[in-house]
Amino acid sequence: MPNETQHYDLVILGSGSTAFAAALRAQELGKTSVMTEERTVGGTCVNRGCLPSKNLIEAAKLLHDARHPRYPGITPATLGLDFKALIAQKDEVIHSYRKKKYESLVGGQSSIQEGHVEFVAPHTVEISGRRLTGDTVLIATGSRAIVPGIAGLQNVPYLTSDLLTNDEPIEMKTLPRSLLIVGGGYIALELGQMFARFGADVTLLERNSQLLANGYEPETGKSIGEVFEKEGIRVITGVHLRSVRQDGNEVVATVEMSGDGNTRELRAEKLLVATGRRPNTDRIGIEKAGVALDEQGAVRVDEHLRTNVSHIFAAGDVIGREQESQMATPVGSQDGGIVSHNAFSPEKARAVNHRIIPRAIFTDPQIAVVGMTEKEAQAAGHPCWCNTVPTTLIPRAGAIRDTQGMIKMVADAETNEVLGVTMVGNSAAEVIHEAAMALRFHATIHDFIDQLHVYPTMAEALKIAAISRYKDPATLSCCAE
Ligand SMILES: Cc1cc2nc3c(=O)[nH]c(=O)nc-3n(C[C@H](O)[C@H](O)[C@H](O)COP(=O)(O)OP(=O)(O)OC[C@H]3O[C@@H](n4cnc5c(N)ncnc54)[C@H](O)[C@@H]3O)c2cc1C
């Protein structure tokens, strides 16, 4: 029986970026809070998600660019790779960032308790033999990798997107010779290209007929698929993974191509399962709090992030697609702050705004997306104008000899309001912010055309895509005017 109870204004399940944003905002409003954590303080983004992946992806790009200089006159070079040292520097970056941006912010009115946390009643959770009660409770337990029911998987050691973690035994410290990746979403693409550039022989297995099959323009998967093929990454689409087994030092996957019923075997040293993520709502005693979940197991919330139990809120990955949310760090961080505002501020309640969420995939070239795809715009009843322009027509891309990719703009054909942009290309993750701001203020195609752009920049892609509404961008002179 727990023998101690502590009371707080805000009890938070989790200690990721969503939890920290809520705790800090609560502190600004003069309230006490406690976060809880069963793994590493700071959660997924800093410890095993955004930060380690972006650190290593850039290192892999350095190796790749040296081997494949884009400029005649620069001799290809093979840089040395000490994978263990590379992992050690990644851990160093994580430790330093975690200290600066997470651990050092705890203190005063916000604290952390370590251990597995579960609800025992709507206002009470239990952790490591203690009970914590809160006037307000926030569920911010994030998400974890989905492990599909593949025959034999339980007997085979397999990796998940957790492989870049630190301070945990599952961290991957040696480079596999070969890697079989199940999945064709953003984590599969980022990690697949990264490991291939480090020198692993990578094969991607995607059950749909193309990469990035869900929620992206069809041109996106096609465009990045071509890049991957050129880099020697094997992409097998329309394939069903029937079973896996261990054979000596290798994993053997039996796959079946859609339609033909024939099976074949693929072998690799390691297997990475990257088939999506699910909200962490199954081990937190949620039924004892009476909180309702949606069909995907995400916590149901209203536009103020309140659950069906009025003092319990939820935010971050754990709400899945509720209120049109996305599983991404800035979304959780913004929403964590909104929760504390709505719980503690005397000011008017803030509703979440998930209408405009720019997203990026850090492949090379980068993929960035904001707003609606053509299909989504049509489904929403817009008469659609949309066009795709190849990156070869962007002056900067030509100037720096990096012409891989495309930009697609989707607009309402009657009002000319721009509804969505997808870009595959150098610096797409930076360029997409101009589009996001424009969509936020309901900009039209003419706003993009009239806006002067710095020459030569990749952001001119937006202006050129807009101009393609009226003329062939291949016939433009310099500066896209
Ligand atoms: C490989 C990878 C790359 C990514 N790259 C990016 C990127 O580049 N940009 C981006 O925006 N997003 C990226 N993401 C997504 C991003 O990491 C998440 O959206 C974000 O971390 C979610 O934050 P959160 O606070 O909601 O949850 P989390 O950060 O997951 O925090 C939840 C915490 O709660 C803890 N917890 C759960 N249950 C319990 C329990 N019962 N008891 C105690 N503790 C518990 C967990 O251990 C976890 O630490 C990436 C994710 C992965 C996996």
Side-chain angles (χ1 to χ4, degrees):
M1 253 317 263
N3 51 17
E4 201 186 325
T5 299
Q6 293 157 337
H7 185 77
Y8 298 87
D9 295 314
L10 176 63
V11 167
I12 307 174
L13 288 81
S15 81
S17 28
T18 308
F20 265 82
L24 292 177
R25 185 78 188 107
Q27 183 163 308
E28 285 166 12
L29 293 166
K31 301 293 176 184
T32 59
S33 70
V34 60
M35 292 177 268
T36 51
E37 181 56 63
E38 65 179 351
R39 289 183 71 177
T40 321
V41 170
T44 304
C45 182
V46 63
N47 290 302
R48 45 191 181 271
C50 332
L51 194 69
S53 60
K54 271 76 246 183
N55 169 276
L56 292 174
I57 285 169
E58 191 61 19
K61 180 168 162 53
L62 292 177
L63 293 171
H64 175 83
D65 287 350
R67 274 195 305 263
H68 306 279
R70 299 195 301 267
Y71 292 75
I74 297 181
T75 316
T78 303
L79 304 181
L81 171 61
D82 177 344
F83 194 70
K84 277 200 167 55
L86 200 63
I87 294 297
Q89 72 71 40
K90 178 262 292 177
D91 290 343
E92 210 177 283
V93 170
I94 292 174
H95 288 157
S96 141
Y97 201 82
R98 190 168 71 214
K99 200 167 179 40
K100 264 197 289 214
K101 295 287 173 193
Y102 294 87
E103 288 163 348
S104 69
L105 303 179
V106 180
Q109 287 169 298
S110 46
S111 55
I112 293 198
Q113 299 211 6
E114 292 189 34
H116 177 77
V117 72
E118 293 205 17
F119 279 103
V120 290
H123 279 278
T124 312
V125 299
E126 196 172 295
I127 180 167
S128 305
R130 289 180 299 280
R131 287 198 168 181
L132 313 175
T133 58
D135 295 331
T136 299
V137 178
L138 167 61
I139 305 172
T141 43
S143 63
R144 65 173 185 274
I146 291 173
V147 179
I150 301 164
L153 192 62
Q154 65 281 10
N155 304 318
V156 168
Y158 62 90
L159 305 160
T160 68
S161 54
D162 272 357
L163 63 92
L164 301 180
T165 188
N166 67 111
D167 302 331
E168 293 181 312
I170 50 173
E171 179 177 14
M172 186 192 221
K173 295 200 169 170
T174 48
L175 180 64
R177 277 186 328 281
S178 51
L179 186 63
L180 205 51
I181 303 181
V182 189
Y186 88 95
I187 291 177
L189 295 187
E190 287 188 355
L191 298 184
Q193 189 182 42
M194 182 189 91
F195 279 112
R197 288 177 165 199
F198 283 142
D201 182 15
V202 173
T203 304
L204 268 151
L205 302 177
E206 165 57 52
R207 72 185 159 150
N208 291 294
S209 59
Q210 68 166 87
L211 298 171
L212 298 175
N214 301 317
Y216 291 86
E217 295 285 8
E219 291 88 347
T220 319
K222 188 168 172 291
S223 183
I224 199 68
E226 285 165 7
V227 173
F228 275 29
E229 294 279 340
K230 261 193 250 157
E231 288 193 20
I233 301 167
R234 219 168 295 109
V235 177
I236 308 179
T237 54
V239 70
H240 294 274
L241 179 53
R242 292 297 177 217
S243 64
V244 289
R245 67 185 159 82
Q246 187 77 29
D247 182 16
N249 290 332
E250 288 185 325
V251 178
V252 184
T254 303
V255 299
E256 184 185 326
M257 300 307 294
S258 281
D260 71 3
N262 294 326
T263 58
R264 63 190 259 218
E265 287 191 343
L266 300 166
R267 288 170 175 270
E269 187 187 336
K270 297 271 184 212
L271 177 71
L272 166 59
V273 177
T275 47
R277 296 183 64 83
R278 55 147 299 167
N280 284 326
T281 49
D282 50 338
R283 292 167 51 244
I284 56 172
I286 200 143
E287 61 294 342
K288 301 213 173 109
V291 169
L293 304 180
D294 69 15
E295 300 72 34
Q296 275 71 43
V299 180
R300 254 188 220 292
V301 287
D302 67 13
E303 58 178 359
H304 300 117
L305 298 167
R306 218 180 267 277
T307 68
N308 58 311
V309 182
S310 69
H311 71 278
I312 304 180
F313 292 78
D317 280 13
V318 80
I319 67 166
R321 299 304 310 269
E322 284 287 307
Q323 299 295 325
E324 305 297 314
S325 190
Q326 303 263 347
M327 288 188 184
T329 301
V331 182
S333 298
Q334 184 168 82
D335 288 358
I338 290 176
V339 165
S340 285
H341 173 93
N342 289 347
F344 304 121
S345 170
E347 289 168 22
K348 188 169 165 276
R350 280 180 68 190
V352 291
N353 185 353
H354 296 150
R355 186 177 73 87
I356 308 296
I357 300 179
R359 290 178 286 147
I361 304 177
F362 290 83
T363 45
D364 178 18
Q366 295 173 346
I367 298 168
V369 178
V370 68
M372 295 184 200
T373 60
E374 179 178 358
K375 207 165 137 194
E376 287 164 353
Q378 279 165 350
H382 291 280
C384 231
W385 171 82
C386 52
N387 196 26
T388 303
V389 173
T391 307
T392 45
L393 295 183
I394 317 306
R396 179 164 179 86
I400 64 168
R401 309 181 71 93
D402 190 1
T403 52
Q404 304 182 100
M406 59 91 197
I407 181 159
K408 179 167 180 177
M409 188 171 268
V410 176
D412 184 296
E414 276 165 15
T415 64
N416 281 319
E417 179 175 345
V418 177
L419 304 170
V421 171
T422 293
M423 182 171 170
V424 180
N426 185 315
S427 306
E430 312 294 334
V431 171
I432 205 67
H433 290 93
E434 176 186 334
M437 188 60 89
L439 263 65
R440 187 178 169 104
F441 293 106
H442 301 278
T444 65
I445 286 175
H446 303 107
D447 292 315
F448 281 98
I449 295 175
D450 292 344
Q451 175 63 52
L452 285 174
H453 283 71
V454 176
Y455 176 84
T457 56
M458 290 305 292
E460 281 181 296
L462 291 165
K463 181 166 173 141
I464 292 168
I467 287 174
S468 78
R469 168 88 157 112
Y470 301 104
K471 30 179 162 170
D472 177 1
T475 63
L476 298 171
S477 178
C478 132
C479 294
E481 282 298 341

PDB file of all heavy atoms in Angstrom, residues 9 33-34 44 50 63 87 90 97 100 120 137 142 195 242-243 256 306 315 380 404 464 469-470:
ATOM      1  N   ASP A   9      -0.957  21.388  -7.926  1.00  0.00           N
ATOM      2  CA  ASP A   9      -1.997  21.989  -8.773  1.00  0.00           C
ATOM      3  C   ASP A   9      -2.154  21.164 -10.052  1.00  0.00           C
ATOM      4  O   ASP A   9      -3.254  20.958 -10.542  1.00  0.00           O
ATOM      5  CB  ASP A   9      -1.608  23.431  -9.136  1.00  0.00           C
ATOM      6  CG  ASP A   9      -1.559  24.337  -7.912  1.00  0.00           C
ATOM      7  OD1 ASP A   9      -2.498  24.270  -7.094  1.00  0.00           O
ATOM      8  OD2 ASP A   9      -0.563  25.085  -7.756  1.00  0.00           O
ATOM      9  N   SER A  33       3.589  21.927 -10.084  1.00  0.00           N
ATOM     10  CA  SER A  33       3.323  20.780 -10.964  1.00  0.00           C
ATOM     11  C   SER A  33       4.342  19.681 -10.712  1.00  0.00           C
ATOM     12  O   SER A  33       5.431  19.935 -10.206  1.00  0.00           O
ATOM     13  CB  SER A  33       3.387  21.203 -12.433  1.00  0.00           C
ATOM     14  OG  SER A  33       4.720  21.490 -12.785  1.00  0.00           O
ATOM     15  N   VAL A  34       3.958  18.449 -11.084  1.00  0.00           N
ATOM     16  CA  VAL A  34       4.899  17.327 -11.040  1.00  0.00           C
ATOM     17  C   VAL A  34       4.765  16.545 -12.340  1.00  0.00           C
ATOM     18  O   VAL A  34       3.663  16.252 -12.787  1.00  0.00           O
ATOM     19  CB  VAL A  34       4.652  16.417  -9.803  1.00  0.00           C
ATOM     20  CG1 VAL A  34       3.252  15.824  -9.805  1.00  0.00           C
ATOM     21  CG2 VAL A  34       5.707  15.316  -9.729  1.00  0.00           C
ATOM     22  N   THR A  44      10.619  11.468 -25.909  1.00  0.00           N
ATOM     23  CA  THR A  44      11.061  10.899 -27.187  1.00  0.00           C
ATOM     24  C   THR A  44      11.936  11.840 -27.993  1.00  0.00           C
ATOM     25  O   THR A  44      12.985  11.443 -28.504  1.00  0.00           O
ATOM     26  CB  THR A  44       9.811  10.520 -28.024  1.00  0.00           C
ATOM     27  OG1 THR A  44       9.002   9.643 -27.255  1.00  0.00           O
ATOM     28  CG2 THR A  44      10.196   9.847 -29.329  1.00  0.00           C
ATOM     29  N   CYS A  50      13.666  13.234 -32.599  1.00  0.00           N
ATOM     30  CA  CYS A  50      14.141  14.335 -33.458  1.00  0.00           C
ATOM     31  C   CYS A  50      15.642  14.574 -33.350  1.00  0.00           C
ATOM     32  O   CYS A  50      16.347  14.604 -34.364  1.00  0.00           O
ATOM     33  CB  CYS A  50      13.469  15.651 -33.080  1.00  0.00           C
ATOM     34  SG  CYS A  50      11.845  15.533 -32.350  1.00  0.00           S
ATOM     35  N   LEU A  63      29.202  12.314 -45.301  1.00  0.00           N
ATOM     36  CA  LEU A  63      29.876  11.175 -45.943  1.00  0.00           C
ATOM     37  C   LEU A  63      29.431  11.038 -47.395  1.00  0.00           C
ATOM     38  O   LEU A  63      30.247  10.845 -48.299  1.00  0.00           O
ATOM     39  CB  LEU A  63      29.540   9.874 -45.204  1.00  0.00           C
ATOM     40  CG  LEU A  63      30.073   9.708 -43.779  1.00  0.00           C
ATOM     41  CD1 LEU A  63      29.459   8.487 -43.132  1.00  0.00           C
ATOM     42  CD2 LEU A  63      31.597   9.590 -43.788  1.00  0.00           C
ATOM     43  N   ILE A  87      28.373   7.601 -32.573  1.00  0.00           N
ATOM     44  CA  ILE A  87      27.280   7.384 -31.619  1.00  0.00           C
ATOM     45  C   ILE A  87      27.603   8.096 -30.299  1.00  0.00           C
ATOM     46  O   ILE A  87      26.725   8.711 -29.672  1.00  0.00           O
ATOM     47  CB  ILE A  87      27.050   5.867 -31.391  1.00  0.00           C
ATOM     48  CG1 ILE A  87      26.532   5.219 -32.691  1.00  0.00           C
ATOM     49  CG2 ILE A  87      26.096   5.605 -30.236  1.00  0.00           C
ATOM     50  CD1 ILE A  87      25.196   5.727 -33.175  1.00  0.00           C
ATOM     51  N   LYS A  90      26.873  11.700 -30.617  1.00  0.00           N
ATOM     52  CA  LYS A  90      25.400  11.871 -30.624  1.00  0.00           C
ATOM     53  C   LYS A  90      24.890  11.875 -29.178  1.00  0.00           C
ATOM     54  O   LYS A  90      24.097  12.735 -28.780  1.00  0.00           O
ATOM     55  CB  LYS A  90      24.781  10.726 -31.444  1.00  0.00           C
ATOM     56  CG  LYS A  90      23.282  10.701 -31.541  1.00  0.00           C
ATOM     57  CD  LYS A  90      22.596   9.766 -30.577  1.00  0.00           C
ATOM     58  CE  LYS A  90      22.805   8.295 -30.789  1.00  0.00           C
ATOM     59  NZ  LYS A  90      22.149   7.456 -29.766  1.00  0.00           N
ATOM     60  N   TYR A  97      21.961  18.792 -24.532  1.00  0.00           N
ATOM     61  CA  TYR A  97      20.675  19.407 -24.864  1.00  0.00           C
ATOM     62  C   TYR A  97      19.633  19.078 -23.787  1.00  0.00           C
ATOM     63  O   TYR A  97      18.845  19.934 -23.372  1.00  0.00           O
ATOM     64  CB  TYR A  97      20.222  18.891 -26.234  1.00  0.00           C
ATOM     65  CG  TYR A  97      19.218  19.786 -26.900  1.00  0.00           C
ATOM     66  CD1 TYR A  97      19.627  20.913 -27.604  1.00  0.00           C
ATOM     67  CD2 TYR A  97      17.859  19.512 -26.831  1.00  0.00           C
ATOM     68  CE1 TYR A  97      18.700  21.739 -28.210  1.00  0.00           C
ATOM     69  CE2 TYR A  97      16.929  20.333 -27.432  1.00  0.00           C
ATOM     70  CZ  TYR A  97      17.352  21.447 -28.125  1.00  0.00           C
ATOM     71  OH  TYR A  97      16.440  22.259 -28.727  1.00  0.00           O
ATOM     72  N   LYS A 100      20.356  21.257 -20.781  1.00  0.00           N
ATOM     73  CA  LYS A 100      20.022  22.683 -20.979  1.00  0.00           C
ATOM     74  C   LYS A 100      18.525  22.922 -21.118  1.00  0.00           C
ATOM     75  O   LYS A 100      17.977  23.878 -20.585  1.00  0.00           O
ATOM     76  CB  LYS A 100      20.694  23.179 -22.272  1.00  0.00           C
ATOM     77  CG  LYS A 100      22.031  23.870 -22.028  1.00  0.00           C
ATOM     78  CD  LYS A 100      22.461  24.682 -23.226  1.00  0.00           C
ATOM     79  CE  LYS A 100      22.854  23.828 -24.342  1.00  0.00           C
ATOM     80  NZ  LYS A 100      23.795  24.000 -25.288  1.00  0.00           N
ATOM     81  N   VAL A 120      -5.094   5.870 -10.230  1.00  0.00           N
ATOM     82  CA  VAL A 120      -5.857   4.992  -9.326  1.00  0.00           C
ATOM     83  C   VAL A 120      -7.246   5.580  -9.082  1.00  0.00           C
ATOM     84  O   VAL A 120      -8.150   4.901  -8.596  1.00  0.00           O
ATOM     85  CB  VAL A 120      -5.113   4.731  -7.989  1.00  0.00           C
ATOM     86  CG1 VAL A 120      -3.894   3.847  -8.208  1.00  0.00           C
ATOM     87  CG2 VAL A 120      -4.714   6.023  -7.299  1.00  0.00           C
ATOM     88  N   VAL A 137      -5.138  17.341 -14.013  1.00  0.00           N
ATOM     89  CA  VAL A 137      -4.231  16.265 -14.455  1.00  0.00           C
ATOM     90  C   VAL A 137      -4.063  16.387 -15.972  1.00  0.00           C
ATOM     91  O   VAL A 137      -5.032  16.664 -16.690  1.00  0.00           O
ATOM     92  CB  VAL A 137      -4.803  14.868 -14.085  1.00  0.00           C
ATOM     93  CG1 VAL A 137      -3.877  13.764 -14.580  1.00  0.00           C
ATOM     94  CG2 VAL A 137      -5.023  14.746 -12.581  1.00  0.00           C
ATOM     95  N   GLY A 142       2.686  10.393 -24.596  1.00  0.00           N
ATOM     96  CA  GLY A 142       3.320  10.194 -25.897  1.00  0.00           C
ATOM     97  C   GLY A 142       2.838   8.969 -26.651  1.00  0.00           C
ATOM     98  O   GLY A 142       1.699   8.499 -26.465  1.00  0.00           O
ATOM     99  N   PHE A 195      21.158   5.054 -42.781  1.00  0.00           N
ATOM    100  CA  PHE A 195      21.984   3.845 -42.652  1.00  0.00           C
ATOM    101  C   PHE A 195      22.634   3.474 -43.981  1.00  0.00           C
ATOM    102  O   PHE A 195      23.776   3.004 -44.008  1.00  0.00           O
ATOM    103  CB  PHE A 195      21.163   2.680 -42.086  1.00  0.00           C
ATOM    104  CG  PHE A 195      21.026   2.742 -40.591  1.00  0.00           C
ATOM    105  CD1 PHE A 195      19.809   2.981 -39.992  1.00  0.00           C
ATOM    106  CD2 PHE A 195      22.149   2.589 -39.776  1.00  0.00           C
ATOM    107  CE1 PHE A 195      19.701   3.066 -38.609  1.00  0.00           C
ATOM    108  CE2 PHE A 195      22.055   2.673 -38.396  1.00  0.00           C
ATOM    109  CZ  PHE A 195      20.820   2.912 -37.806  1.00  0.00           C
ATOM    110  N   ARG A 242       5.157 -11.896 -44.852  1.00  0.00           N
ATOM    111  CA  ARG A 242       4.386 -13.023 -44.322  1.00  0.00           C
ATOM    112  C   ARG A 242       4.964 -13.556 -43.014  1.00  0.00           C
ATOM    113  O   ARG A 242       4.224 -13.909 -42.106  1.00  0.00           O
ATOM    114  CB  ARG A 242       4.339 -14.162 -45.362  1.00  0.00           C
ATOM    115  CG  ARG A 242       3.524 -13.805 -46.591  1.00  0.00           C
ATOM    116  CD  ARG A 242       2.071 -13.554 -46.202  1.00  0.00           C
ATOM    117  NE  ARG A 242       1.260 -13.142 -47.326  1.00  0.00           N
ATOM    118  CZ  ARG A 242       0.288 -12.248 -47.240  1.00  0.00           C
ATOM    119  NH1 ARG A 242       0.011 -11.656 -46.101  1.00  0.00           N
ATOM    120  NH2 ARG A 242      -0.440 -11.930 -48.297  1.00  0.00           N
ATOM    121  N   SER A 243       6.296 -13.670 -42.941  1.00  0.00           N
ATOM    122  CA  SER A 243       6.890 -14.203 -41.707  1.00  0.00           C
ATOM    123  C   SER A 243       8.357 -13.826 -41.633  1.00  0.00           C
ATOM    124  O   SER A 243       8.957 -13.424 -42.641  1.00  0.00           O
ATOM    125  CB  SER A 243       6.754 -15.731 -41.666  1.00  0.00           C
ATOM    126  OG  SER A 243       7.501 -16.293 -42.732  1.00  0.00           O
ATOM    127  N   GLU A 256       5.578 -11.657 -49.896  1.00  0.00           N
ATOM    128  CA  GLU A 256       4.739 -12.028 -51.039  1.00  0.00           C
ATOM    129  C   GLU A 256       4.377 -10.751 -51.783  1.00  0.00           C
ATOM    130  O   GLU A 256       3.939  -9.775 -51.176  1.00  0.00           O
ATOM    131  CB  GLU A 256       3.465 -12.703 -50.497  1.00  0.00           C
ATOM    132  CG  GLU A 256       2.553 -13.216 -51.578  1.00  0.00           C
ATOM    133  CD  GLU A 256       1.258 -13.769 -50.966  1.00  0.00           C
ATOM    134  OE1 GLU A 256       1.294 -14.333 -49.857  1.00  0.00           O
ATOM    135  OE2 GLU A 256       0.222 -13.575 -51.624  1.00  0.00           O
ATOM    136  N   ARG A 306      -9.481  19.382 -23.327  1.00  0.00           N
ATOM    137  CA  ARG A 306     -10.108  18.791 -22.144  1.00  0.00           C
ATOM    138  C   ARG A 306     -10.677  17.426 -22.554  1.00  0.00           C
ATOM    139  O   ARG A 306     -11.225  17.282 -23.646  1.00  0.00           O
ATOM    140  CB  ARG A 306     -11.254  19.695 -21.694  1.00  0.00           C
ATOM    141  CG  ARG A 306     -11.424  19.828 -20.205  1.00  0.00           C
ATOM    142  CD  ARG A 306     -12.590  20.760 -19.901  1.00  0.00           C
ATOM    143  NE  ARG A 306     -12.194  22.142 -19.714  1.00  0.00           N
ATOM    144  CZ  ARG A 306     -11.735  22.649 -18.590  1.00  0.00           C
ATOM    145  NH1 ARG A 306     -11.576  21.881 -17.532  1.00  0.00           N
ATOM    146  NH2 ARG A 306     -11.421  23.920 -18.497  1.00  0.00           N
ATOM    147  N   ALA A 315      -2.599  16.038 -24.210  1.00  0.00           N
ATOM    148  CA  ALA A 315      -1.952  16.765 -25.318  1.00  0.00           C
ATOM    149  C   ALA A 315      -0.729  16.003 -25.787  1.00  0.00           C
ATOM    150  O   ALA A 315      -0.231  15.110 -25.099  1.00  0.00           O
ATOM    151  CB  ALA A 315      -1.553  18.172 -24.856  1.00  0.00           C
ATOM    152  N   ALA A 380     -12.902  18.221 -49.696  1.00  0.00           N
ATOM    153  CA  ALA A 380     -13.504  19.312 -48.917  1.00  0.00           C
ATOM    154  C   ALA A 380     -14.391  20.193 -49.790  1.00  0.00           C
ATOM    155  O   ALA A 380     -14.911  21.211 -49.332  1.00  0.00           O
ATOM    156  CB  ALA A 380     -12.399  20.143 -48.261  1.00  0.00           C
ATOM    157  N   GLN A 404      17.185  17.802 -57.663  1.00  0.00           N
ATOM    158  CA  GLN A 404      16.264  16.699 -57.379  1.00  0.00           C
ATOM    159  C   GLN A 404      15.000  17.256 -56.735  1.00  0.00           C
ATOM    160  O   GLN A 404      15.074  18.135 -55.881  1.00  0.00           O
ATOM    161  CB  GLN A 404      16.891  15.741 -56.375  1.00  0.00           C
ATOM    162  CG  GLN A 404      18.237  15.190 -56.806  1.00  0.00           C
ATOM    163  CD  GLN A 404      18.774  14.215 -55.786  1.00  0.00           C
ATOM    164  OE1 GLN A 404      18.661  13.014 -55.977  1.00  0.00           O
ATOM    165  NE2 GLN A 404      19.333  14.724 -54.716  1.00  0.00           N
ATOM    166  N   ILE A 464       7.375  30.479 -58.202  1.00  0.00           N
ATOM    167  CA  ILE A 464       7.352  29.856 -59.533  1.00  0.00           C
ATOM    168  C   ILE A 464       6.155  28.906 -59.662  1.00  0.00           C
ATOM    169  O   ILE A 464       5.473  28.874 -60.689  1.00  0.00           O
ATOM    170  CB  ILE A 464       8.701  29.149 -59.798  1.00  0.00           C
ATOM    171  CG1 ILE A 464       9.791  30.221 -59.933  1.00  0.00           C
ATOM    172  CG2 ILE A 464       8.647  28.271 -61.044  1.00  0.00           C
ATOM    173  CD1 ILE A 464      11.204  29.695 -59.902  1.00  0.00           C
ATOM    174  N   ARG A 469       0.351  28.959 -62.603  1.00  0.00           N
ATOM    175  CA  ARG A 469      -1.111  29.057 -62.798  1.00  0.00           C
ATOM    176  C   ARG A 469      -1.398  29.773 -64.119  1.00  0.00           C
ATOM    177  O   ARG A 469      -2.419  29.524 -64.752  1.00  0.00           O
ATOM    178  CB  ARG A 469      -1.701  29.851 -61.618  1.00  0.00           C
ATOM    179  CG  ARG A 469      -3.150  30.303 -61.780  1.00  0.00           C
ATOM    180  CD  ARG A 469      -4.068  29.224 -61.287  1.00  0.00           C
ATOM    181  NE  ARG A 469      -5.378  29.685 -60.903  1.00  0.00           N
ATOM    182  CZ  ARG A 469      -6.510  29.396 -61.560  1.00  0.00           C
ATOM    183  NH1 ARG A 469      -6.468  28.687 -62.670  1.00  0.00           N
ATOM    184  NH2 ARG A 469      -7.666  29.806 -61.110  1.00  0.00           N
ATOM    185  N   TYR A 470      -0.509  30.709 -64.503  1.00  0.00           N
ATOM    186  CA  TYR A 470      -0.778  31.564 -65.670  1.00  0.00           C
ATOM    187  C   TYR A 470       0.185  31.371 -66.831  1.00  0.00           C
ATOM    188  O   TYR A 470      -0.147  31.641 -67.959  1.00  0.00           O
ATOM    189  CB  TYR A 470      -0.763  33.042 -65.239  1.00  0.00           C
ATOM    190  CG  TYR A 470      -1.807  33.292 -64.184  1.00  0.00           C
ATOM    191  CD1 TYR A 470      -1.455  33.447 -62.844  1.00  0.00           C
ATOM    192  CD2 TYR A 470      -3.159  33.297 -64.514  1.00  0.00           C
ATOM    193  CE1 TYR A 470      -2.421  33.626 -61.867  1.00  0.00           C
ATOM    194  CE2 TYR A 470      -4.133  33.475 -63.540  1.00  0.00           C
ATOM    195  CZ  TYR A 470      -3.755  33.637 -62.220  1.00  0.00           C
ATOM    196  OH  TYR A 470      -4.718  33.792 -61.260  1.00  0.00           O
TER     197      TYR A 470
END
